[in-house]
């Protein structure tokens, strides 16, 4: 059995003429159907509007006749209530005869009678209900209150006196107070208007139309109850859009809606508003027609339009086929010539006169292509002779390259597996994709357990997991990750829940969708323990040495100052050397303790907002005596605006930084030179500069200036001594205060150190 898709392909046209004919046919059909559809839609809308307005007009006429009829009955009863012949003083027989005459003349009145103020019927047509008590009947009470018309209701007292019929007797009440010649109310004249008159009104309007157009009329009261209409809805309560629309607007209209029987109807509606003195009872007249019957002309119009469209489409299609054949005949000739060329012929293509310019151009091009094809065929035959040898050689080269790649992959896998450090591969979703045996030993999870797990959930402490996920998301969005290519210290957790410190180097490997992070992890628990023991030892030794050294230094200073009397020159020289050495040793121990506090995070900072210039001036004043002994001119310069520069710093710690910078500048400057401290405000920062005119910092030493125990090689450095910790301490203090420290230096000219701190808000 053929595949439906293959069958469709076989049935599709292959020639250009067939395609053009098909295009003409399709275009003709589409245009014809579109035009027919537009015309048919507009015509259908117009027909529907006409039918709807016709139904609305019928509803309006019926409503108008009902209201006028009620007005006539209303006026008749009103006039009758004023006739003296019905007065109490008139003979009873005459009064009854008058009412009988009215009932016989106007056959719509099923009952008409006069009741006294006590509600007793005094006289009535045919003597019906004479002597009966009607004081509790709504028409009697309403007439005394000024309401003279009552809505439709079934017969109550009269039901047993009236002839039997298939449906219950229903009436509309009209009643007026009876007033004598002196204007005194003597009773109530009431009339029960048979509902049959409403049917007569409906038939008078709908006669002929109902049978011809299958139209039905309904009369609905204000509560939606059907008073008159088809048997399937009489007495039922309706809630329809047409009723809502009739009450919402004073003029009539029409709608298409679905009724309780499940059918769709086109409904015209009109709400009654009374007539003349008659106020109306709020009846709504609905005239409905089944939607299928109402829209039969629309369907016929649609069928006519479709038939016309199909006929036009067929005619246009036949014309299109003929035109397509005429257009494609020259192209068919070219196609035949091309087939001959394909079969191996190399003759020129001849174009008949009168052909299209495009066909002539195509023939010329084909002739050129044939000539070129012959040349290329010869070249291809020459090339094909060596092609197999070249393919075989290239295949051997590819096999060798593939073998080399496989060997490299095996070698890398072996190196990773035998590496001393743990190796973890992490994909772009944060899942583990590689895990060597060193990682199994270090962290406790086997390779099978670790693969596929989220690395942050598996090996990171809870407090770091959210940050790790944020960094991974940031890298996927921006391609930036600060720790890439750097060796950093981190805390990991083993399978047993033990946290261990590690050094980790993170890199990127792979390409495209295979991109992943390669992490080499080294356990530094032993090293951290040794560093902790070293720090404890240094702190202990420093504290133990500081007290006796302070005493020794103080004693030597007293001896050097002559407190024990004049010493022999040789002894004085030895005491001076010992005093200087003990001072350096005390400073070394103090610097070591400061470094130890900084590493342990135990150095306290008591910060407050204060002006920077006075602090710099105090530091310069404290170093004046040292500068004078060294023959150095020391000064403090305030740039414009420096007096207003205020910073949030620890005064003592910043003074320590300035003192250290000034001391270094003095020690490394020759006698007679100048050292200058300058304070200035720059934007949102305050800058303090310490400049000297010394030999400058050697180029090879500049990268290590702020490292611990770093000292430049040279006679001058050795002569001045020092611990090599001062600038490292300065850098740590400045950065803790939120600032930066750097320097500019030129050998033989001098060095300037800069400290920049943010201005206080």
């Amino acid at each position: 059995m053929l595949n439906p898709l293959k069958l469709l392909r076989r049935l599709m046209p292959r020639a250009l003429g067939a395609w053009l004919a098909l295009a003409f046919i399709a275009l003709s059909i589409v245009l014809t159907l579109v035009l027919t559809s537009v015309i048919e839609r507009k015509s259908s809308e117009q027909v529907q509007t006409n039918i709807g307005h016709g139904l609305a007009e019928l509803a309006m006429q019926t409503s108008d006749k009902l209201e006028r009829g009620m007005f006539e009955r209303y006026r008749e009863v009103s006039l009758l209530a004023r006739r003296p012949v019905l007065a109490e003083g008139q003979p009873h027989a005459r009064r009854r005869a008058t009412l009988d005459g009215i009932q016989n003349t106007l056959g719509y009145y099923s009952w008409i009678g006069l009741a006294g103020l006590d509600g007793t019927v005094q006289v009535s047509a045919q003597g019906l209900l004479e002597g009966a008590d009607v004081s509790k009947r709504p028409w009697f009470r309403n007439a005394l209150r000024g309401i003279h018309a009552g809505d439709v209701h079934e017969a109550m007292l009269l039901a047993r006196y009236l002839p039997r019929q298939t449906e219950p007797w229903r009436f509309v009440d009209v009643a007026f107070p009876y007033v004598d010649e002196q204007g005194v109310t003597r009773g109530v004249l009431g009339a029960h208007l048979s509902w049959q008159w409403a049917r007569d009104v409906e038939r008078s309007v709908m006669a002929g139309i109902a049978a011809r157009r299958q139209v039905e009329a309904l009369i609905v009261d204000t509560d939606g109850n059907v008073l008159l209409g088809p048997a399937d809805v009489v007495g039922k309560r309706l809630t329809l859009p047409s009723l809502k629309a009739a009450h919402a607007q004073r003029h009539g209209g029409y709608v298409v809606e679905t009724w309780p029987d499940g059918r769709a109807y086109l409904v015209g509606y009109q709400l009654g508003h009374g007539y003349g003195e008659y106020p109306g009872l709020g009846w709504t007249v609905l005239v409905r027609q089944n939607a299928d019957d109402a829209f039969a002309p629309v369907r016929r119009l649609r069928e006519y339009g479709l038939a016309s469209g199909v006929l036009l489409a067929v005619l246009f299609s036949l014309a299109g086929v003929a035109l397509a054949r005429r257009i494609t005949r020259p192209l068919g000739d070219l196609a035949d010539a091309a087939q001959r060329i394909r079969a191996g012929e190399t003759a020129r293509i001849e174009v008949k006169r009168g052909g299209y310019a495009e066909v002539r151009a195509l023939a010329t091009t084909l002739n050129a292509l044939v000539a070129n094809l012959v040349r290329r065929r010869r070249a291809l035959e020459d090339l094909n002779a060596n092609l197999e040898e070249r393919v075989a050689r290239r295949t051997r080269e590819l096999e060798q390259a593939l073998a080399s790649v496989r060997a490299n992959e095996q070698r890398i896998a072996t190196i990773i597996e035998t590496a001393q450090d743990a190796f973890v591969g992490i994909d772009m979703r944060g899942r583990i994709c590689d895990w060597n045996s060193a990682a199994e030993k270090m962290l406790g999870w086997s390779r099978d357990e670790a693969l596929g797990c989220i690395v942050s959930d598996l090996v990171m402490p809870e407090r770091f997991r959210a940050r790790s996920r944020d960094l991974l998301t940031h890298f996927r969005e921006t391609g930036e990750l600060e720790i890439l290519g750097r060796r950093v210290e981190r805390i990991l957790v083993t399978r047993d829940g033990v946290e261990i410190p590690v050094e980790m180097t993170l890199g990127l490997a792979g390409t495209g969708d295979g991109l992943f992070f390669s992490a080499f992890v080294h356990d530094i628990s032993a090293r951290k323990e040794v560093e902790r023991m070293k720090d404890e030892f240094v702190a202990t030794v420093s504290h133990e040495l500081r007290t006796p050294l302070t005493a020794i230094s103080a004693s030597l200073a007293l001896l050097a100052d002559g407190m024990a009397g004049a010493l022999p020159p040789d002894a004085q020289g030895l005491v001076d050397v010992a005093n200087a050495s003990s001072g350096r040793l005390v400073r070394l121990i103090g610097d070591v303790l400061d470094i130890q506090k900084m590493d342990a995070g135990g150095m306290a900072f008591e910060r407050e907002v204060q002006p920077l210039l006075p602090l710099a001036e105090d530091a310069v004043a404290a170093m004046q005596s040292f500068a004078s002994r060294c023959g150095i001119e020391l000064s403090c310069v305030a740039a414009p605006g420096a007096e207003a520069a205020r910073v949030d710093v620890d005064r003592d710690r910043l003074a320590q930084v300035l003192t250290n910078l000034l001391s270094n500048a003095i020690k490394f400057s020759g006698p007679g030179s100048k050292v200058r401290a300058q304070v200035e405000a720059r934007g949102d920062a305050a800058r303090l500069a310490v400049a000297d005119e010394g030999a400058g910092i050697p180029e090879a030493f500049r990268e290590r200036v702020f490292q611990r125990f770093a000292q430049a090689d040279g006679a001058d450095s050795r002569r001045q001594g020092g611990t090599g910790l001062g600038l490292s301490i300065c850098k740590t203090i400045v950065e803790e205060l939120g600032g930066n420290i750097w320097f500019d230096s030129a050998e033989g000219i001098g060095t300037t150190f800069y400290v920049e701190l943010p201005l206080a808000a």
Side-chain angles (χ1 to χ4, degrees):
M1 182 179 293
L2 287 176
N3 188 315
L5 184 59
K6 292 182 178 179
L7 180 60
L8 180 62
R9 289 177 178 173
R10 288 187 178 184
L11 295 177
M12 294 297 289
R14 299 179 181 275
L16 177 61
W19 276 108
L20 284 175
L22 183 61
F24 279 126
I25 292 171
L27 184 60
S28 300
I29 292 174
V30 170
L31 289 176
T32 303
L33 292 180
V34 168
L35 290 175
T36 304
S37 176
V38 171
I39 295 172
E40 179 268 333
R41 175 173 295 181
K42 292 298 182 181
S43 301
S44 299
E45 291 176 355
Q46 185 62 41
V47 171
Q48 177 177 330
T49 301
N50 292 339
I51 295 172
H53 285 313
L55 294 179
E57 181 68 21
L58 287 175
M60 184 192 70
Q61 292 178 10
T62 304
S63 177
D64 183 65
K65 279 203 171 188
L66 282 173
E67 298 299 322
R68 287 175 180 269
M70 278 298 298
F71 168 70
E72 294 295 335
R73 307 292 86 76
Y74 188 87
R75 185 174 60 179
E76 288 170 358
V77 177
S78 174
L79 294 174
L80 186 59
R82 302 172 189 168
R83 296 182 65 175
V85 72
L86 297 178
E88 292 182 358
Q90 297 294 329
H92 183 77
R94 184 180 180 187
R95 297 168 73 190
R96 179 187 290 177
T98 301
L99 296 179
D100 288 342
I102 294 173
Q103 187 179 41
N104 294 330
T105 302
L106 304 173
Y108 296 130
Y109 293 113
S110 296
W111 181 87
I112 184 169
L114 179 63
L117 292 177
D118 60 354
T120 302
V121 178
Q122 297 175 352
V123 62
S124 66
Q126 308 298 326
L128 295 178
L129 298 180
E130 285 186 357
D133 183 7
V134 294
S135 60
K136 295 183 179 179
R137 301 303 299 151
W139 60 268
F140 181 83
R141 296 197 304 269
N142 289 340
L144 294 176
R145 293 201 303 266
I147 302 174
H148 307 304
D151 213 336
V152 178
H153 65 86
E154 293 186 3
M156 301 296 291
L157 298 177
L158 285 173
R160 61 179 178 270
Y161 300 108
L162 298 175
R164 292 185 177 275
Q165 58 181 21
T166 57
E167 60 182 18
W169 285 92
R170 292 188 295 167
F171 305 118
V172 177
D173 297 329
V174 180
F176 281 86
Y178 182 78
V179 182
D180 62 12
E181 295 178 352
Q182 285 74 32
V184 178
T185 300
R186 297 299 183 179
V188 174
L189 178 65
H192 292 338
L193 182 62
S194 172
W195 190 238
Q196 186 63 34
W197 74 272
R199 293 188 181 277
D200 294 341
V201 170
E202 183 261 342
R203 281 194 293 269
S204 69
V205 176
M206 307 297 295
I209 298 177
R212 186 173 67 254
R213 295 176 52 185
Q214 298 180 345
V215 175
E216 297 172 323
L218 298 89
I219 299 176
V220 185
D221 67 10
T222 55
D223 295 327
N225 299 310
V226 179
L227 304 177
L228 184 145
D232 60 329
V233 294
V234 170
K236 294 183 179 179
R237 186 172 183 178
L238 301 179
T239 55
L240 298 171
S242 55
L243 292 175
K244 295 179 181 178
H247 285 83
Q249 55 192 19
R250 296 188 61 85
H251 56 83
Y254 70 93
V255 293
V256 178
E257 59 188 7
T258 302
W259 280 51
D261 60 1
R263 297 180 181 179
Y265 292 91
L266 182 62
V267 181
Y269 55 83
Q270 177 66 50
L271 176 65
H273 301 289
Y275 185 82
E277 298 176 358
Y278 169 60
L281 294 175
W283 293 339
T284 302
V285 176
L286 303 180
V287 179
R288 73 177 187 178
Q289 185 178 12
N290 191 293
D292 293 336
D293 298 331
F295 297 146
V298 176
R299 288 196 302 274
R300 287 193 295 272
L301 181 62
R302 184 181 296 113
E303 292 170 358
Y304 296 152
L306 181 60
S308 301
V310 171
L311 180 60
L312 288 174
V314 171
L315 294 177
F316 280 117
S317 299
L318 293 176
V321 170
L323 182 61
R325 288 182 178 179
R326 180 177 179 82
I327 292 174
T328 57
R329 186 177 294 114
L331 295 177
D333 296 340
L334 282 179
D336 293 339
Q339 289 292 336
R340 293 196 301 273
I341 293 173
R342 183 180 180 184
E345 297 182 18
T346 58
R348 288 181 56 81
I349 299 174
E350 299 296 335
V351 182
K352 299 178 180 180
R353 284 189 174 185
Y356 305 132
E358 293 81 358
V359 174
R360 291 196 299 272
L362 182 59
T364 304
T365 303
L366 285 176
N367 287 327
L369 288 176
V370 169
N372 189 32
L373 180 63
V374 172
R375 291 194 301 271
R376 289 181 179 274
R377 182 183 296 171
R378 293 170 183 170
L380 183 62
E381 290 173 353
D382 295 338
L383 181 63
N384 190 48
N386 299 323
L387 182 61
E388 292 185 1
E389 181 182 352
R390 294 171 63 185
V391 169
R393 183 170 64 253
R394 184 59 178 168
T395 301
R396 290 193 298 271
E397 292 175 356
L398 290 175
E399 290 176 350
Q400 293 173 359
L402 180 60
S404 177
V405 169
R406 289 175 177 172
N408 287 336
E409 290 180 351
Q410 183 63 34
R411 182 163 57 253
I412 292 172
T414 303
I415 292 172
I416 291 175
E417 184 62 27
T418 57
Q420 296 295 324
D421 289 343
F423 175 79
V424 180
I426 307 161
D427 63 19
M428 291 297 103
R429 298 178 299 168
R431 297 184 180 276
I432 298 173
C433 58
D434 205 350
W435 185 271
N436 69 352
S437 56
E440 292 180 351
K441 295 176 183 178
M442 178 186 297
L443 299 172
W445 285 279
S446 67
R447 177 183 175 85
D448 293 338
E449 292 172 331
L451 291 181
C453 295
I454 301 295
V455 66
S456 59
D457 296 341
L458 187 69
V459 301
M460 289 186 182
E462 178 70 28
R463 60 186 181 275
F464 300 139
R465 292 175 184 173
R467 176 60 177 167
S468 174
R469 289 191 289 268
D470 292 342
L471 289 174
L472 182 60
T473 302
H474 178 73
F475 176 79
R476 288 199 298 263
E477 294 174 351
T478 65
E480 298 178 357
L481 190 61
E482 185 179 355
I483 63 174
L484 277 178
R486 296 171 51 193
R487 195 166 186 85
V488 295
E489 293 186 6
R490 291 291 184 267
I491 301 295
L492 300 182
V493 61
T494 67
R495 183 170 188 165
D496 299 330
V498 178
E499 293 187 0
I500 59 173
V502 298
E503 278 187 348
M504 180 180 71
T505 302
L506 191 68
L508 276 176
T511 57
D513 295 338
L515 191 67
F516 68 96
F517 294 105
S518 62
F520 286 91
V521 184
H522 180 68
D523 187 354
I524 57 173
S525 301
R527 192 185 78 190
K528 286 293 183 181
E529 181 63 21
V530 170
E531 290 179 356
R532 185 188 63 79
M533 295 173 62
K534 179 199 71 175
D535 292 341
E536 290 180 356
F537 173 75
V538 170
T540 302
V541 170
S542 299
H543 278 291
E544 293 298 328
L545 289 176
R546 194 172 195 176
T547 301
L549 277 176
T550 302
I552 293 172
S553 178
S555 300
L556 289 173
L558 292 174
L559 289 174
D561 291 339
M563 293 297 295
L567 296 176
D570 293 340
Q572 184 68 40
L574 293 174
V575 168
D576 290 340
V577 172
N579 184 33
S581 298
S582 65
R584 284 198 301 272
L585 189 56
V586 169
R587 289 193 299 274
L588 172 62
I589 293 174
D591 290 346
V592 169
L593 286 176
D594 286 343
I595 288 293
Q596 189 270 335
K597 286 181 182 179
M598 293 176 183
D599 289 344
M603 178 171 283
F605 287 85
E606 297 180 1
R607 302 173 66 158
E608 64 176 335
V609 177
Q610 54 193 302
L612 179 61
L613 182 59
L615 196 152
E617 291 174 343
D618 292 345
V620 169
M623 297 299 296
Q624 279 292 355
S625 59
F626 178 55
S628 299
R629 289 198 303 271
C630 296
I632 303 298
E633 181 182 343
L634 182 60
S635 63
C636 181
V637 179
E643 294 82 357
R646 296 171 62 83
V647 291
D648 184 13
V649 295
D650 184 318
R651 183 181 183 86
D652 294 337
R653 295 300 178 189
L654 187 57
Q656 181 179 352
V657 171
L658 297 179
T659 300
N660 192 295
L661 295 178
L662 291 170
S663 175
N664 285 346
I666 293 170
K667 287 191 294 185
F668 290 98
S669 297
S673 60
K674 298 179 180 179
V675 172
R676 185 181 63 176
Q678 179 173 329
V679 178
E680 60 179 325
R682 300 176 64 86
D684 58 353
R687 178 180 293 181
L688 192 148
V690 176
D692 63 48
E693 298 175 353
I697 300 174
E699 183 71 28
F701 179 66
R702 292 179 184 178
E703 293 183 358
R704 298 183 292 117
V705 165
F706 293 108
Q707 294 180 5
R708 296 177 183 178
F709 303 106
Q711 288 182 304
D713 296 330
D716 189 56
S717 298
R718 289 192 297 271
R719 181 178 70 254
Q720 298 299 336
T723 64
L725 295 174
L727 290 177
S728 176
I729 293 172
C730 290
K731 179 177 175 63
T732 301
I733 292 175
V734 170
E735 290 178 350
E736 285 290 336
L737 295 175
N740 295 312
I741 183 171
W742 72 96
F743 65 90
D744 289 330
S745 182
E747 293 190 43
I749 297 176
T751 302
T752 302
F753 277 85
Y754 299 96
V755 174
E756 193 169 80
L757 298 166
L759 291 174

